[in-house]
PDB file of all heavy atoms in Angstrom:
ATOM      1  N   ALA A 134     -13.047  38.241 -26.983  1.00 93.00           N
ATOM      2  CA  ALA A 134     -14.399  37.870 -26.577  1.00 93.00           C
ATOM      3  C   ALA A 134     -14.748  38.547 -25.259  1.00 93.00           C
ATOM      4  O   ALA A 134     -13.920  38.638 -24.347  1.00 93.00           O
ATOM      5  CB  ALA A 134     -14.488  36.352 -26.424  1.00 93.00           C
ATOM      6  N   ALA A 135     -16.001  38.992 -25.173  1.00 90.00           N
ATOM      7  CA  ALA A 135     -16.476  39.583 -23.926  1.00 90.00           C
ATOM      8  C   ALA A 135     -16.951  38.472 -22.994  1.00 90.00           C
ATOM      9  O   ALA A 135     -17.530  37.484 -23.433  1.00 90.00           O
ATOM     10  CB  ALA A 135     -17.614  40.547 -24.210  1.00 90.00           C
ATOM     11  N   SER A 136     -16.707  38.676 -21.725  1.00 85.00           N
ATOM     12  CA  SER A 136     -17.067  37.650 -20.741  1.00 85.00           C
ATOM     13  C   SER A 136     -18.533  37.703 -20.353  1.00 85.00           C
ATOM     14  O   SER A 136     -19.024  36.797 -19.670  1.00 85.00           O
ATOM     15  CB  SER A 136     -16.219  37.837 -19.479  1.00 85.00           C
ATOM     16  OG  SER A 136     -16.481  39.116 -18.916  1.00 85.00           O
ATOM     17  N   ALA A 137     -19.228  38.747 -20.785  1.00 77.00           N
ATOM     18  CA  ALA A 137     -20.635  38.894 -20.430  1.00 77.00           C
ATOM     19  C   ALA A 137     -21.402  39.410 -21.638  1.00 77.00           C
ATOM     20  O   ALA A 137     -20.816  39.801 -22.636  1.00 77.00           O
ATOM     21  CB  ALA A 137     -20.792  39.848 -19.248  1.00 77.00           C
ATOM     22  N   SER A 138     -22.694  39.416 -21.532  1.00 72.00           N
ATOM     23  CA  SER A 138     -23.528  39.922 -22.617  1.00 72.00           C
ATOM     24  C   SER A 138     -24.570  40.863 -22.021  1.00 72.00           C
ATOM     25  O   SER A 138     -24.493  41.216 -20.845  1.00 72.00           O
ATOM     26  CB  SER A 138     -24.213  38.757 -23.330  1.00 72.00           C
ATOM     27  OG  SER A 138     -25.015  38.033 -22.416  1.00 72.00           O
ATOM     28  N   GLY A 139     -25.505  41.277 -22.873  1.00 73.00           N
ATOM     29  CA  GLY A 139     -26.565  42.126 -22.360  1.00 73.00           C
ATOM     30  C   GLY A 139     -26.300  43.606 -22.459  1.00 73.00           C
ATOM     31  O   GLY A 139     -27.099  44.413 -21.988  1.00 73.00           O
ATOM     32  N   PHE A 140     -25.178  43.990 -23.088  1.00 71.00           N
ATOM     33  CA  PHE A 140     -24.874  45.407 -23.212  1.00 71.00           C
ATOM     34  C   PHE A 140     -25.292  45.969 -24.551  1.00 71.00           C
ATOM     35  O   PHE A 140     -25.036  47.116 -24.866  1.00 71.00           O
ATOM     36  CB  PHE A 140     -23.378  45.668 -22.983  1.00 71.00           C
ATOM     37  CG  PHE A 140     -22.464  44.731 -23.709  1.00 71.00           C
ATOM     38  CD1 PHE A 140     -22.167  44.914 -25.052  1.00 71.00           C
ATOM     39  CD2 PHE A 140     -21.906  43.657 -23.051  1.00 71.00           C
ATOM     40  CE1 PHE A 140     -21.326  44.045 -25.721  1.00 71.00           C
ATOM     41  CE2 PHE A 140     -21.049  42.782 -23.702  1.00 71.00           C
ATOM     42  CZ  PHE A 140     -20.763  42.969 -25.041  1.00 71.00           C
ATOM     43  N   GLY A 141     -25.970  45.147 -25.365  1.00 75.00           N
ATOM     44  CA  GLY A 141     -26.460  45.644 -26.638  1.00 75.00           C
ATOM     45  C   GLY A 141     -25.374  45.675 -27.695  1.00 75.00           C
ATOM     46  O   GLY A 141     -24.248  45.248 -27.464  1.00 75.00           O
ATOM     47  N   ARG A 142     -25.737  46.206 -28.844  1.00 80.00           N
ATOM     48  CA  ARG A 142     -24.784  46.281 -29.945  1.00 80.00           C
ATOM     49  C   ARG A 142     -23.919  47.525 -29.750  1.00 80.00           C
ATOM     50  O   ARG A 142     -24.421  48.646 -29.686  1.00 80.00           O
ATOM     51  CB  ARG A 142     -25.521  46.351 -31.274  1.00 80.00           C
ATOM     52  CG  ARG A 142     -24.600  46.370 -32.469  1.00 80.00           C
ATOM     53  CD  ARG A 142     -25.374  46.236 -33.751  1.00 80.00           C
ATOM     54  NE  ARG A 142     -25.895  44.885 -33.935  1.00 80.00           N
ATOM     55  CZ  ARG A 142     -26.496  44.476 -35.050  1.00 80.00           C
ATOM     56  NH1 ARG A 142     -26.680  45.307 -36.041  1.00 80.00           N
ATOM     57  NH2 ARG A 142     -26.929  43.243 -35.146  1.00 80.00           N
ATOM     58  N   VAL A 143     -22.621  47.297 -29.656  1.00 85.00           N
ATOM     59  CA  VAL A 143     -21.683  48.391 -29.447  1.00 85.00           C
ATOM     60  C   VAL A 143     -20.592  48.338 -30.501  1.00 85.00           C
ATOM     61  O   VAL A 143     -20.372  47.307 -31.143  1.00 85.00           O
ATOM     62  CB  VAL A 143     -21.041  48.334 -28.043  1.00 85.00           C
ATOM     63  CG1 VAL A 143     -22.099  48.476 -26.958  1.00 85.00           C
ATOM     64  CG2 VAL A 143     -20.256  47.042 -27.858  1.00 85.00           C
ATOM     65  N   SER A 144     -19.895  49.442 -30.665  1.00 92.00           N
ATOM     66  CA  SER A 144     -18.729  49.445 -31.527  1.00 92.00           C
ATOM     67  C   SER A 144     -17.653  48.570 -30.898  1.00 92.00           C
ATOM     68  O   SER A 144     -17.513  48.519 -29.663  1.00 92.00           O
ATOM     69  CB  SER A 144     -18.184  50.871 -31.701  1.00 92.00           C
ATOM     70  OG  SER A 144     -19.110  51.674 -32.395  1.00 92.00           O
ATOM     71  N   MET A 145     -16.914  47.883 -31.751  1.00 94.00           N
ATOM     72  CA  MET A 145     -15.836  47.016 -31.287  1.00 94.00           C
ATOM     73  C   MET A 145     -14.593  47.333 -32.109  1.00 94.00           C
ATOM     74  O   MET A 145     -14.703  47.620 -33.308  1.00 94.00           O
ATOM     75  CB  MET A 145     -16.219  45.539 -31.457  1.00 94.00           C
ATOM     76  CG  MET A 145     -17.485  45.155 -30.707  1.00 94.00           C
ATOM     77  SD  MET A 145     -17.912  43.397 -30.883  1.00 94.00           S
ATOM     78  CE  MET A 145     -18.460  43.352 -32.585  1.00 94.00           C
ATOM     79  N   GLY A 146     -13.456  47.281 -31.470  1.00 96.00           N
ATOM     80  CA  GLY A 146     -12.277  47.642 -32.219  1.00 96.00           C
ATOM     81  C   GLY A 146     -10.981  47.160 -31.614  1.00 96.00           C
ATOM     82  O   GLY A 146     -10.969  46.451 -30.589  1.00 96.00           O
ATOM     83  N   TRP A 147      -9.921  47.556 -32.291  1.00 98.00           N
ATOM     84  CA  TRP A 147      -8.554  47.227 -31.860  1.00 98.00           C
ATOM     85  C   TRP A 147      -7.711  48.491 -31.870  1.00 98.00           C
ATOM     86  O   TRP A 147      -7.778  49.285 -32.813  1.00 98.00           O
ATOM     87  CB  TRP A 147      -7.932  46.197 -32.794  1.00 98.00           C
ATOM     88  CG  TRP A 147      -8.583  44.865 -32.713  1.00 98.00           C
ATOM     89  CD1 TRP A 147      -9.619  44.402 -33.469  1.00 98.00           C
ATOM     90  CD2 TRP A 147      -8.260  43.805 -31.805  1.00 98.00           C
ATOM     91  NE1 TRP A 147      -9.959  43.132 -33.089  1.00 98.00           N
ATOM     92  CE2 TRP A 147      -9.132  42.744 -32.072  1.00 98.00           C
ATOM     93  CE3 TRP A 147      -7.304  43.652 -30.792  1.00 98.00           C
ATOM     94  CZ2 TRP A 147      -9.084  41.539 -31.360  1.00 98.00           C
ATOM     95  CZ3 TRP A 147      -7.254  42.467 -30.094  1.00 98.00           C
ATOM     96  CH2 TRP A 147      -8.140  41.426 -30.377  1.00 98.00           C
ATOM     97  N   TYR A 148      -6.943  48.640 -30.822  1.00 98.00           N
ATOM     98  CA  TYR A 148      -5.944  49.696 -30.719  1.00 98.00           C
ATOM     99  C   TYR A 148      -4.586  49.032 -30.533  1.00 98.00           C
ATOM    100  O   TYR A 148      -4.505  47.859 -30.198  1.00 98.00           O
ATOM    101  CB  TYR A 148      -6.232  50.592 -29.510  1.00 98.00           C
ATOM    102  CG  TYR A 148      -7.390  51.540 -29.689  1.00 98.00           C
ATOM    103  CD1 TYR A 148      -8.704  51.073 -29.725  1.00 98.00           C
ATOM    104  CD2 TYR A 148      -7.178  52.918 -29.801  1.00 98.00           C
ATOM    105  CE1 TYR A 148      -9.778  51.949 -29.878  1.00 98.00           C
ATOM    106  CE2 TYR A 148      -8.236  53.800 -29.950  1.00 98.00           C
ATOM    107  CZ  TYR A 148      -9.525  53.306 -29.992  1.00 98.00           C
ATOM    108  OH  TYR A 148     -10.573  54.179 -30.146  1.00 98.00           O
ATOM    109  N   ARG A 149      -3.537  49.792 -30.751  1.00 98.00           N
ATOM    110  CA  ARG A 149      -2.203  49.278 -30.470  1.00 98.00           C
ATOM    111  C   ARG A 149      -1.369  50.366 -29.830  1.00 98.00           C
ATOM    112  O   ARG A 149      -1.637  51.562 -29.994  1.00 98.00           O
ATOM    113  CB  ARG A 149      -1.532  48.731 -31.718  1.00 98.00           C
ATOM    114  CG  ARG A 149      -1.222  49.738 -32.802  1.00 98.00           C
ATOM    115  CD  ARG A 149      -0.687  49.023 -34.047  1.00 98.00           C
ATOM    116  NE  ARG A 149      -0.386  49.951 -35.124  1.00 98.00           N
ATOM    117  CZ  ARG A 149      -0.015  49.574 -36.344  1.00 98.00           C
ATOM    118  NH1 ARG A 149       0.108  48.271 -36.633  1.00 98.00           N
ATOM    119  NH2 ARG A 149       0.243  50.475 -37.267  1.00 98.00           N
ATOM    120  N   GLN A 150      -0.358  49.922 -29.134  1.00 97.00           N
ATOM    121  CA  GLN A 150       0.510  50.858 -28.431  1.00 97.00           C
ATOM    122  C   GLN A 150       1.956  50.462 -28.638  1.00 97.00           C
ATOM    123  O   GLN A 150       2.349  49.316 -28.356  1.00 97.00           O
ATOM    124  CB  GLN A 150       0.165  50.891 -26.940  1.00 97.00           C
ATOM    125  CG  GLN A 150       0.866  51.970 -26.161  1.00 97.00           C
ATOM    126  CD  GLN A 150       0.284  52.130 -24.766  1.00 97.00           C
ATOM    127  OE1 GLN A 150      -0.368  51.235 -24.233  1.00 97.00           O
ATOM    128  NE2 GLN A 150       0.507  53.282 -24.161  1.00 97.00           N
ATOM    129  N   PHE A 151       2.732  51.423 -29.127  1.00 94.00           N
ATOM    130  CA  PHE A 151       4.170  51.242 -29.266  1.00 94.00           C
ATOM    131  C   PHE A 151       4.834  51.733 -27.985  1.00 94.00           C
ATOM    132  O   PHE A 151       4.289  52.585 -27.284  1.00 94.00           O
ATOM    133  CB  PHE A 151       4.692  52.028 -30.467  1.00 94.00           C
ATOM    134  CG  PHE A 151       3.999  51.709 -31.757  1.00 94.00           C
ATOM    135  CD1 PHE A 151       3.126  52.622 -32.331  1.00 94.00           C
ATOM    136  CD2 PHE A 151       4.212  50.499 -32.398  1.00 94.00           C
ATOM    137  CE1 PHE A 151       2.486  52.337 -33.518  1.00 94.00           C
ATOM    138  CE2 PHE A 151       3.568  50.195 -33.590  1.00 94.00           C
ATOM    139  CZ  PHE A 151       2.694  51.127 -34.154  1.00 94.00           C
ATOM    140  N   PRO A 152       6.019  51.227 -27.686  1.00 89.00           N
ATOM    141  CA  PRO A 152       6.708  51.670 -26.461  1.00 89.00           C
ATOM    142  C   PRO A 152       6.861  53.183 -26.417  1.00 89.00           C
ATOM    143  O   PRO A 152       7.309  53.806 -27.387  1.00 89.00           O
ATOM    144  CB  PRO A 152       8.064  50.972 -26.555  1.00 89.00           C
ATOM    145  CG  PRO A 152       7.801  49.759 -27.385  1.00 89.00           C
ATOM    146  CD  PRO A 152       6.762  50.178 -28.386  1.00 89.00           C
ATOM    147  N   GLY A 153       6.473  53.784 -25.313  1.00 91.00           N
ATOM    148  CA  GLY A 153       6.652  55.216 -25.125  1.00 91.00           C
ATOM    149  C   GLY A 153       5.646  56.091 -25.837  1.00 91.00           C
ATOM    150  O   GLY A 153       5.804  57.317 -25.876  1.00 91.00           O
ATOM    151  N   THR A 154       4.604  55.485 -26.413  1.00 94.00           N
ATOM    152  CA  THR A 154       3.603  56.275 -27.120  1.00 94.00           C
ATOM    153  C   THR A 154       2.216  55.989 -26.562  1.00 94.00           C
ATOM    154  O   THR A 154       2.016  55.058 -25.790  1.00 94.00           O
ATOM    155  CB  THR A 154       3.609  55.981 -28.624  1.00 94.00           C
ATOM    156  OG1 THR A 154       3.118  54.653 -28.846  1.00 94.00           O
ATOM    157  CG2 THR A 154       5.018  56.096 -29.197  1.00 94.00           C
ATOM    158  N   GLU A 155       1.254  56.795 -26.994  1.00 95.00           N
ATOM    159  CA  GLU A 155      -0.125  56.570 -26.584  1.00 95.00           C
ATOM    160  C   GLU A 155      -0.774  55.508 -27.469  1.00 95.00           C
ATOM    161  O   GLU A 155      -0.321  55.248 -28.582  1.00 95.00           O
ATOM    162  CB  GLU A 155      -0.909  57.878 -26.667  1.00 95.00           C
ATOM    163  CG  GLU A 155      -0.446  58.946 -25.696  1.00 95.00           C
ATOM    164  CD  GLU A 155      -1.334  60.165 -25.702  1.00 95.00           C
ATOM    165  OE1 GLU A 155      -2.243  60.229 -26.538  1.00 95.00           O
ATOM    166  OE2 GLU A 155      -1.110  61.055 -24.863  1.00 95.00           O
ATOM    167  N   ARG A 156      -1.826  54.941 -26.955  1.00 96.00           N
ATOM    168  CA  ARG A 156      -2.583  53.960 -27.704  1.00 96.00           C
ATOM    169  C   ARG A 156      -3.185  54.616 -28.955  1.00 96.00           C
ATOM    170  O   ARG A 156      -3.683  55.745 -28.899  1.00 96.00           O
ATOM    171  CB  ARG A 156      -3.698  53.414 -26.802  1.00 96.00           C
ATOM    172  CG  ARG A 156      -4.006  51.973 -26.957  1.00 96.00           C
ATOM    173  CD  ARG A 156      -4.904  51.514 -25.829  1.00 96.00           C
ATOM    174  NE  ARG A 156      -4.174  51.251 -24.604  1.00 96.00           N
ATOM    175  CZ  ARG A 156      -4.708  50.708 -23.529  1.00 96.00           C
ATOM    176  NH1 ARG A 156      -6.006  50.411 -23.530  1.00 96.00           N
ATOM    177  NH2 ARG A 156      -3.983  50.479 -22.464  1.00 96.00           N
ATOM    178  N   GLU A 157      -3.144  53.906 -30.088  1.00 97.00           N
ATOM    179  CA  GLU A 157      -3.698  54.448 -31.314  1.00 97.00           C
ATOM    180  C   GLU A 157      -4.686  53.468 -31.932  1.00 97.00           C
ATOM    181  O   GLU A 157      -4.535  52.255 -31.790  1.00 97.00           O
ATOM    182  CB  GLU A 157      -2.592  54.769 -32.336  1.00 97.00           C
ATOM    183  CG  GLU A 157      -1.839  53.555 -32.853  1.00 97.00           C
ATOM    184  CD  GLU A 157      -0.798  53.904 -33.898  1.00 97.00           C
ATOM    185  OE1 GLU A 157      -0.152  54.965 -33.790  1.00 97.00           O
ATOM    186  OE2 GLU A 157      -0.642  53.103 -34.857  1.00 97.00           O
ATOM    187  N   LEU A 158      -5.662  54.007 -32.624  1.00 98.00           N
ATOM    188  CA  LEU A 158      -6.671  53.177 -33.262  1.00 98.00           C
ATOM    189  C   LEU A 158      -6.062  52.403 -34.430  1.00 98.00           C
ATOM    190  O   LEU A 158      -5.375  52.972 -35.271  1.00 98.00           O
ATOM    191  CB  LEU A 158      -7.828  54.042 -33.764  1.00 98.00           C
ATOM    192  CG  LEU A 158      -8.916  53.302 -34.543  1.00 98.00           C
ATOM    193  CD1 LEU A 158      -9.683  52.362 -33.630  1.00 98.00           C
ATOM    194  CD2 LEU A 158      -9.859  54.297 -35.209  1.00 98.00           C
ATOM    195  N   VAL A 159      -6.373  51.123 -34.474  1.00 98.00           N
ATOM    196  CA  VAL A 159      -6.001  50.290 -35.619  1.00 98.00           C
ATOM    197  C   VAL A 159      -7.218  50.087 -36.519  1.00 98.00           C
ATOM    198  O   VAL A 159      -7.178  50.322 -37.719  1.00 98.00           O
ATOM    199  CB  VAL A 159      -5.464  48.927 -35.162  1.00 98.00           C
ATOM    200  CG1 VAL A 159      -5.171  48.037 -36.357  1.00 98.00           C
ATOM    201  CG2 VAL A 159      -4.225  49.102 -34.293  1.00 98.00           C
ATOM    202  N   ALA A 160      -8.316  49.631 -35.919  1.00 98.00           N
ATOM    203  CA  ALA A 160      -9.537  49.368 -36.696  1.00 98.00           C
ATOM    204  C   ALA A 160     -10.733  49.366 -35.765  1.00 98.00           C
ATOM    205  O   ALA A 160     -10.612  49.028 -34.593  1.00 98.00           O
ATOM    206  CB  ALA A 160      -9.437  48.041 -37.427  1.00 98.00           C
ATOM    207  N   MET A 161     -11.877  49.728 -36.317  1.00 97.00           N
ATOM    208  CA  MET A 161     -13.118  49.771 -35.555  1.00 97.00           C
ATOM    209  C   MET A 161     -14.236  49.261 -36.445  1.00 97.00           C
ATOM    210  O   MET A 161     -14.238  49.497 -37.655  1.00 97.00           O
ATOM    211  CB  MET A 161     -13.428  51.198 -35.109  1.00 97.00           C
ATOM    212  CG  MET A 161     -14.594  51.331 -34.141  1.00 97.00           C
ATOM    213  SD  MET A 161     -14.193  50.735 -32.491  1.00 97.00           S
ATOM    214  CE  MET A 161     -12.979  51.940 -31.996  1.00 97.00           C
ATOM    215  N   ILE A 162     -15.202  48.557 -35.840  1.00 94.00           N
ATOM    216  CA  ILE A 162     -16.362  48.097 -36.579  1.00 94.00           C
ATOM    217  C   ILE A 162     -17.618  48.461 -35.802  1.00 94.00           C
ATOM    218  O   ILE A 162     -17.668  48.310 -34.574  1.00 94.00           O
ATOM    219  CB  ILE A 162     -16.289  46.573 -36.871  1.00 94.00           C
ATOM    220  CG1 ILE A 162     -17.449  46.149 -37.764  1.00 94.00           C
ATOM    221  CG2 ILE A 162     -16.248  45.763 -35.587  1.00 94.00           C
ATOM    222  CD1 ILE A 162     -17.259  44.750 -38.365  1.00 94.00           C
ATOM    223  N   THR A 163     -18.607  48.948 -36.537  1.00 92.00           N
ATOM    224  CA  THR A 163     -19.878  49.358 -35.943  1.00 92.00           C
ATOM    225  C   THR A 163     -21.000  48.677 -36.707  1.00 92.00           C
ATOM    226  O   THR A 163     -20.954  48.600 -37.945  1.00 92.00           O
ATOM    227  CB  THR A 163     -20.048  50.881 -36.034  1.00 92.00           C
ATOM    228  OG1 THR A 163     -18.942  51.515 -35.392  1.00 92.00           O
ATOM    229  CG2 THR A 163     -21.333  51.334 -35.366  1.00 92.00           C
ATOM    230  N   ASP A 164     -21.978  48.183 -35.975  1.00 85.00           N
ATOM    231  CA  ASP A 164     -23.130  47.502 -36.588  1.00 85.00           C
ATOM    232  C   ASP A 164     -22.703  46.355 -37.502  1.00 85.00           C
ATOM    233  O   ASP A 164     -23.368  46.072 -38.508  1.00 85.00           O
ATOM    234  CB  ASP A 164     -23.989  48.492 -37.381  1.00 85.00           C
ATOM    235  CG  ASP A 164     -24.687  49.487 -36.476  1.00 85.00           C
ATOM    236  OD1 ASP A 164     -24.916  49.143 -35.303  1.00 85.00           O
ATOM    237  OD2 ASP A 164     -24.987  50.608 -36.935  1.00 85.00           O
ATOM    238  N   GLU A 165     -21.570  45.766 -37.204  1.00 82.00           N
ATOM    239  CA  GLU A 165     -21.029  44.601 -37.915  1.00 82.00           C
ATOM    240  C   GLU A 165     -20.684  44.859 -39.369  1.00 82.00           C
ATOM    241  O   GLU A 165     -20.255  43.950 -40.070  1.00 82.00           O
ATOM    242  CB  GLU A 165     -21.996  43.408 -37.824  1.00 82.00           C
ATOM    243  CG  GLU A 165     -22.185  42.889 -36.430  1.00 82.00           C
ATOM    244  CD  GLU A 165     -22.957  41.585 -36.386  1.00 82.00           C
ATOM    245  OE1 GLU A 165     -23.318  41.064 -37.448  1.00 82.00           O
ATOM    246  OE2 GLU A 165     -23.175  41.093 -35.274  1.00 82.00           O
ATOM    247  N   THR A 166     -20.856  46.087 -39.843  1.00 86.00           N
ATOM    248  CA  THR A 166     -20.575  46.358 -41.261  1.00 86.00           C
ATOM    249  C   THR A 166     -19.774  47.620 -41.508  1.00 86.00           C
ATOM    250  O   THR A 166     -19.039  47.688 -42.490  1.00 86.00           O
ATOM    251  CB  THR A 166     -21.895  46.473 -42.043  1.00 86.00           C
ATOM    252  OG1 THR A 166     -22.689  47.522 -41.456  1.00 86.00           O
ATOM    253  CG2 THR A 166     -22.665  45.172 -42.029  1.00 86.00           C
ATOM    254  N   ILE A 167     -19.870  48.602 -40.659  1.00 92.00           N
ATOM    255  CA  ILE A 167     -19.179  49.869 -40.881  1.00 92.00           C
ATOM    256  C   ILE A 167     -17.797  49.787 -40.248  1.00 92.00           C
ATOM    257  O   ILE A 167     -17.669  49.626 -39.035  1.00 92.00           O
ATOM    258  CB  ILE A 167     -19.976  51.033 -40.278  1.00 92.00           C
ATOM    259  CG1 ILE A 167     -21.377  51.089 -40.890  1.00 92.00           C
ATOM    260  CG2 ILE A 167     -19.233  52.350 -40.517  1.00 92.00           C
ATOM    261  CD1 ILE A 167     -22.304  52.055 -40.208  1.00 92.00           C
ATOM    262  N   THR A 168     -16.776  49.897 -41.091  1.00 94.00           N
ATOM    263  CA  THR A 168     -15.409  49.717 -40.604  1.00 94.00           C
ATOM    264  C   THR A 168     -14.564  50.965 -40.823  1.00 94.00           C
ATOM    265  O   THR A 168     -14.772  51.724 -41.764  1.00 94.00           O
ATOM    266  CB  THR A 168     -14.732  48.534 -41.295  1.00 94.00           C
ATOM    267  OG1 THR A 168     -14.758  48.742 -42.708  1.00 94.00           O
ATOM    268  CG2 THR A 168     -15.445  47.231 -40.968  1.00 94.00           C
ATOM    269  N   THR A 169     -13.629  51.149 -39.939  1.00 96.00           N
ATOM    270  CA  THR A 169     -12.660  52.246 -40.012  1.00 96.00           C
ATOM    271  C   THR A 169     -11.289  51.654 -39.771  1.00 96.00           C
ATOM    272  O   THR A 169     -11.126  50.812 -38.881  1.00 96.00           O
ATOM    273  CB  THR A 169     -12.956  53.309 -38.943  1.00 96.00           C
ATOM    274  OG1 THR A 169     -14.275  53.815 -39.123  1.00 96.00           O
ATOM    275  CG2 THR A 169     -11.967  54.458 -39.047  1.00 96.00           C
ATOM    276  N   TYR A 170     -10.298  52.108 -40.548  1.00 97.00           N
ATOM    277  CA  TYR A 170      -8.947  51.598 -40.416  1.00 97.00           C
ATOM    278  C   TYR A 170      -7.943  52.746 -40.350  1.00 97.00           C
ATOM    279  O   TYR A 170      -8.119  53.779 -40.988  1.00 97.00           O
ATOM    280  CB  TYR A 170      -8.569  50.719 -41.608  1.00 97.00           C
ATOM    281  CG  TYR A 170      -9.348  49.436 -41.702  1.00 97.00           C
ATOM    282  CD1 TYR A 170     -10.476  49.342 -42.506  1.00 97.00           C
ATOM    283  CD2 TYR A 170      -8.950  48.299 -40.995  1.00 97.00           C
ATOM    284  CE1 TYR A 170     -11.197  48.171 -42.598  1.00 97.00           C
ATOM    285  CE2 TYR A 170      -9.662  47.114 -41.081  1.00 97.00           C
ATOM    286  CZ  TYR A 170     -10.783  47.059 -41.877  1.00 97.00           C
ATOM    287  OH  TYR A 170     -11.496  45.894 -41.963  1.00 97.00           O
ATOM    288  N   ALA A 171      -6.885  52.531 -39.620  1.00 97.00           N
ATOM    289  CA  ALA A 171      -5.749  53.437 -39.684  1.00 97.00           C
ATOM    290  C   ALA A 171      -5.135  53.325 -41.077  1.00 97.00           C
ATOM    291  O   ALA A 171      -5.114  52.244 -41.672  1.00 97.00           O
ATOM    292  CB  ALA A 171      -4.722  53.066 -38.627  1.00 97.00           C
ATOM    293  N   ASP A 172      -4.641  54.438 -41.589  1.00 97.00           N
ATOM    294  CA  ASP A 172      -4.062  54.430 -42.932  1.00 97.00           C
ATOM    295  C   ASP A 172      -2.934  53.410 -43.045  1.00 97.00           C
ATOM    296  O   ASP A 172      -2.752  52.792 -44.101  1.00 97.00           O
ATOM    297  CB  ASP A 172      -3.523  55.817 -43.279  1.00 97.00           C
ATOM    298  CG  ASP A 172      -4.630  56.818 -43.545  1.00 97.00           C
ATOM    299  OD1 ASP A 172      -5.787  56.391 -43.781  1.00 97.00           O
ATOM    300  OD2 ASP A 172      -4.349  58.034 -43.515  1.00 97.00           O
ATOM    301  N   SER A 173      -2.207  53.204 -41.980  1.00 97.00           N
ATOM    302  CA  SER A 173      -1.028  52.331 -42.018  1.00 97.00           C
ATOM    303  C   SER A 173      -1.385  50.859 -42.178  1.00 97.00           C
ATOM    304  O   SER A 173      -0.519  50.049 -42.502  1.00 97.00           O
ATOM    305  CB  SER A 173      -0.200  52.518 -40.752  1.00 97.00           C
ATOM    306  OG  SER A 173      -0.973  52.235 -39.607  1.00 97.00           O
TER     307      SER A 173
END
């Protein structure tokens, strides 16, 4: 949850990070309906 509002509709998502690696995209949602997922 965001602690504030007023920034309009933005993409929201989740990333994950394994030890020693860079953050990677897990899933993203745009306009509450358009979703993207990592193949895994």
